């Protein structure tokens, strides 16, 4: 999940991601994402995020000048199993996609019962927030970008379960971008 220094995942206009772009193309951000998807066999997404990701990332495959890490992620996203949480879609518009109309915690619990690697939630704030509230997050990967947005939604709401986390990985890069990975202490 990409966050500003003031803990926001979006500004006033949640569709305006221009604040992310100068930092998302840094080596630390690209390397961080690569380490996350390589062990994952399933992507869990909210509908809005799925529409954005799956509308853009497949176009990166074979794009002139594409960074190999970006192209690797794009290929993974197309080829991996995707579970999209939606109460409005009646048919999956993407290959290898299952639509699920149930709370995120229930969907994650169902996925945990299946064989496979990690379940990766890709920047779907509503899904991450629901899983945090249900204490169903084992690893939290954050990319902190050195900007303050001043307003907009925050990732961490009041009322989350108390608990400890241990730093499992960290990297600092260009422009002050930080990549942090925390594992939940159980």
């Amino acid at each position: 999940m990409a966050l500003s220094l003031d803990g926001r995942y979006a500004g006033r206009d949640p569709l305006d991601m221009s604040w992310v772009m100068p930092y998302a193309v840094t080596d630390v951000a690209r390397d961080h994402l690569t380490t996350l998807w390589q062990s994952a066999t399933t992507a869990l997404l909210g509908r809005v995020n799925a529409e954005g990701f799956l509308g853009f990332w497949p176009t990166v495959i074979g794009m002139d000048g594409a960074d190999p890490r970006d192209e690797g992620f794009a290929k993974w996203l197309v080829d991996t199993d995707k579970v999209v949480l939606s109460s409005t879609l009646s048919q999956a518009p993407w290959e290898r996609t299952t639509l699920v109309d149930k709370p995120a915690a229930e969907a994650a619990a169902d996925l945990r019962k299946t064989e496979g690697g990690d379940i990766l939630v890709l920047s779907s704030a509503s899904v991450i927030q629901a899983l945090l509230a249900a204490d169903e997050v084992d690893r939290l990967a954050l990319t902190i970008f050195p900007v303050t947005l001043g307003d907009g939604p925050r990732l961490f709401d009041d009322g989350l379960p108390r608990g400890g986390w241990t730093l499992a990985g960290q990297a600092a890069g260009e422009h002050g971008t930080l990549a942090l990975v925390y594992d939940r202490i159980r």
Side-chain angles (χ1 to χ4, degrees):
M1 188 74 191
L3 295 177
S4 64
L5 284 175
D6 54 348
R8 300 173 194 284
Y9 60 85
R12 182 172 299 169
D13 176 3
L15 298 178
D16 176 14
M17 297 303 287
S18 62
W19 65 276
V20 169
M21 293 317 297
Y23 310 105
V25 295
T26 62
D27 284 333
V28 71
R30 283 177 162 142
D31 290 344
H32 180 64
L33 179 59
T34 299
T35 63
L36 299 174
W37 65 258
Q38 285 182 329
S39 63
T41 56
T42 305
L44 178 60
L45 301 150
R47 180 194 53 83
V48 173
N49 204 316
E51 289 173 339
F53 269 53
L54 294 165
F56 170 74
W57 282 104
T59 68
V60 173
I61 300 169
M63 180 186 289
D64 284 343
D67 186 284
R69 294 165 292 189
D70 294 344
E71 195 165 5
F73 172 70
K75 288 176 183 174
W76 173 83
L77 186 61
V78 168
D79 293 340
T80 198
D81 292 330
K82 293 164 281 296
V83 175
V84 175
L85 301 175
S86 176
S87 61
T88 58
L89 292 175
S90 59
Q91 178 174 327
W94 314 284
E95 290 184 27
R96 300 185 62 109
T97 301
T98 302
L99 297 177
V100 175
D101 183 6
K102 61 173 65 174
E106 285 182 40
D110 291 346
L111 287 171
R112 285 177 188 256
K113 294 174 188 172
T114 64
E115 290 185 28
D118 293 341
I119 302 162
L120 180 59
V121 179
L122 293 165
S123 301
S124 292
S126 63
V127 175
I128 295 169
Q129 288 171 322
L131 294 175
L132 284 168
D135 200 15
E136 289 291 329
V137 176
D138 296 323
R139 173 166 278 184
L140 189 59
L142 304 171
T143 310
I144 311 295
F145 298 137
V147 297
T148 53
L149 295 177
D151 62 7
R154 295 180 187 271
L155 181 63
F156 301 104
D157 290 330
D158 289 342
L160 292 176
R162 285 183 62 116
W165 298 81
T166 185
L167 185 64
Q170 62 184 327
E174 304 99 309
H175 312 295
T177 299
L178 296 175
L180 304 169
V181 177
Y182 291 95
D183 285 340
R184 183 74 165 93
I185 299 170
R186 301 257 182 225

